[in-house]
Amino acid sequence: MKILGVHYSHDAGAAIIEDGKILAAVNEERYTREKLYWGFPKNSLREVFNICKLKPSQIDYVAFANVTPGGGPQKSFGEANIRKKVNDLISNTFPFIVGSNSYAKLYRNLYSKFRRGKSVLNYLKNIGVEAPVSYVDHHLCHAAGAFYTSRFDKDTLVVTTDGTGDGLCSTINTVNDDYSLNKVAFTPSFHSPATVYAYVTYNLGFSPNKHEGKITGLAAYGKPQRTYSIFKSILNVNDTSYRVNKIGYGRLGAKRLHILMQNKRWEDIAAGLQKRFEEVCSKLIENALKKYPKKYIALSGGAYANVKLN
């Protein structure tokens, strides 16, 4: 069975897998020369067929990453598009509703009706791909990528954490007897610790979702005790879910956090954030292991690009 995978969001790209083996995987940024390119991965689609020497008609299934359209590209965090501005407004007007599990489920069900990618579907049809199309949950993609390449057996806990994807920022998964993944807990995007990390990245003058590694490195030069109380009051864990308190969400959340960080040294801000970030991410896994004892742990999502956390 040959599956064509398509990602039409940030880090856009394409891949072809045959019976569980990756034949080709290409990121669009390699061709556009635009880091973390967001949009139609036309060059990637062409290249994966060239690499595999396959005809489009040989594809059995097409899988799109994400079941919702996402927020869309933007030039910078501070210059939000209309969709993000509306989301910020709703999130900060009704924080207790938006931060609830019920809202996350509603968001996923509603926004799944507005998927993007028609241009990709038309392109695939024009080049001869007639295979059925599926849309795969963002965090299921993360979890599958971690577990199925880990070589671990069923005695595995699979944890994902990132900024946002299909309305969630984290999932906890166990493995069924047939090696399928079973989501047993999740956290809505509103409560993402990775997003708070992005706010600090932005407030210190860097590009969020791109330069978080600079904050991780800067943390080594600071004294976490000087700012730790700020981040302890913001970042927390409730059982097997993250909880972000006090600051809100989006651009307004970043502004509120900026006020709390006034008169603090950059390296101390980074150090306090890093310390608390490690604590809450580790605590979530610790709590999950108590509920679902497993021998192995597989991790995925942007948060685990933080090498110090790992």
Side-chain angles (χ1 to χ4, degrees), residues 13-17 22-27 30-31 44 47-48 51-52:
I16 292 179
I17 296 174
I22 300 171
L23 301 183
V26 178
N27 275 81
R30 302 295 186 182
Y31 298 90
S44 303
E47 187 62 20
V48 291
I51 292 172
C52 298

Side-chain angles (χ1 to χ4, degrees), residues 80-300:
N81 57 31
I82 294 297
R83 189 180 298 151
K84 283 184 168 63
K85 286 181 179 178
V86 170
N87 192 43
D88 285 1
L89 178 63
I90 295 173
S91 297
N92 290 287
T93 305
F94 309 104
F96 295 106
I97 295 175
V98 175
S100 70
N101 291 353
S102 297
Y103 182 85
K105 292 176 181 177
L106 175 64
Y107 172 94
R108 291 153 64 82
N109 289 333
L110 177 63
Y111 273 84
S112 65
K113 316 296 184 190
F114 302 99
R115 299 185 185 108
R116 298 188 324 276
K118 288 184 179 179
S119 58
V120 179
L121 291 175
N122 290 335
Y123 172 79
L124 293 176
K125 186 175 181 180
N126 288 336
I127 66 173
V129 177
E130 296 289 348
V133 176
S134 294
Y135 294 85
V136 186
D137 178 88
H138 181 98
H139 281 270
L140 177 57
C141 292
H142 273 317
F147 175 64
Y148 295 122
T149 61
S150 69
R151 299 186 181 180
F152 293 160
D153 61 28
K154 291 178 293 184
D155 196 10
T156 302
L157 188 74
V158 187
V159 181
T160 69
T161 301
D162 64 9
T164 181
D166 288 335
L168 306 181
C169 73
S170 177
T171 64
I172 295 171
N173 308 267
T174 56
V175 182
N176 297 320
D177 288 339
D178 63 355
Y179 278 83
S180 61
L181 294 167
N182 177 37
K183 182 171 66 182
V184 294
F186 65 87
T187 305
S189 296
F190 183 88
H191 295 292
S192 170
T195 295
V196 175
Y197 211 105
Y199 296 163
V200 172
T201 303
Y202 173 69
N203 286 336
L204 295 188
F206 300 106
S207 299
N209 302 318
K210 184 178 181 181
H211 290 150
E212 277 75 4
K214 296 181 184 294
I215 305 304
T216 308
L218 185 62
Y221 295 89
K223 297 184 182 300
Q225 65 271 22
R226 293 177 176 173
T227 60
Y228 175 76
S229 60
I230 295 173
F231 296 105
K232 186 177 181 181
S233 68
I234 294 170
L235 295 173
N236 293 281
V237 174
N238 180 15
D239 192 21
T240 52
S241 296
Y242 295 110
R243 283 294 176 268
V244 171
N245 304 319
K246 221 168 157 179
I247 60 171
Y249 189 80
R251 267 86 347 219
L252 182 57
K255 289 180 181 178
R256 287 171 176 164
L257 180 56
H258 183 67
I259 293 171
L260 295 174
M261 289 163 36
Q262 291 299 300
N263 303 316
K264 305 294 183 182
R265 295 178 66 88
W266 285 21
E267 62 269 32
D268 295 336
I269 293 170
L273 168 66
Q274 180 66 30
K275 178 177 172 62
R276 188 56 181 166
F277 184 74
E278 291 174 21
E279 288 177 350
V280 296
C281 292
S282 299
K283 185 63 177 177
L284 182 86
I285 294 173
E286 179 184 339
N287 290 350
L289 285 171
K290 288 178 181 177
K291 254 187 170 179
Y292 312 99
K294 303 295 178 184
K295 182 178 180 180
Y296 302 107
I297 305 172
L299 306 173
S300 186

